[in-house]
Amino acid sequence: MTYLYLKALHIIFVVSWMAGLFYIVRLFVYHVEANDRPEKEKVILQKQFEIMQHKLWYIITTPAMVLAVLAGVGMVYLNPDLLSMPWMHVKLTFVLGLLIYHFVCQNIIKQLKQGIFKWTSTQLRIWNELATIFLVAIVFTVILKSAIDWIYGLVGLVLFSMIIMSAVKIYKYYRLKG
């Protein structure tokens, strides 16, 4: 029964973590785009975005990440046979990618707070979609487990990624046009 409680908590914390990752990058986009505003408005907006980013990151996103990882470790501790399953190795690889994504976002927060703008809003929009790709890959890996054909799964993930990236480019075109 403890395993099922941990599993439920793991899912809840993953959902919270993903929500934070999705929203933080949108805040980055708005923060960067504030540079195009008149100086007085720019200063006000960027200060507000710094506050929002800080609270989202340190009150919701990072604690949710830590708790999701701890619940996952707890599930593996209670059921170590999970580590002998090939799908778990694939999932953990994607989770590692998501953790790296998380810490890159943390670095972007620090840069923006210092007034360092290395990313354009378009680059950040594309970056935002990477979290979606990780989420899709992890969910399909966990749900399909050994039934997944890794070649088709990889091809599907690449196609899904191309569709998302194309959608970002199309959105940019219409946003700049209108």
Side-chain angles (χ1 to χ4, degrees), residues 58-69:
Y58 293 103
I59 296 172
I60 297 170
T61 310
T62 297
M65 179 267 301
V66 169
L67 293 169
V69 169

Side-chain angles (χ1 to χ4, degrees), residues 2-15:
T2 304
Y3 179 85
L4 293 178
Y5 281 110
L6 279 175
K7 189 175 190 178
L9 289 171
H10 181 68
I11 292 168
I12 291 165
F13 294 132
V14 167
V15 169

Side-chain angles (χ1 to χ4, degrees), residues 25 29 118-129 168:
V25 182
V29 169
K118 292 184 177 182
W119 299 63
T120 66
S121 63
T122 300
Q123 289 171 326
L124 288 167
R125 281 183 172 86
I126 292 170
W127 178 251
N128 196 35
E129 301 310 324
V168 169

Side-chain angles (χ1 to χ4, degrees), residues 3 6-7 10 65-80 82-83 88 91-92 95 99:
Y3 179 85
L6 279 175
K7 189 175 190 178
H10 181 68
M65 179 267 301
V66 169
L67 293 169
V69 169
L70 289 175
V73 168
M75 290 184 335
V76 170
Y77 175 78
L78 293 175
N79 185 3
L82 288 169
L83 291 176
M88 181 57 81
K91 176 197 174 184
L92 292 175
V95 170
L99 286 165

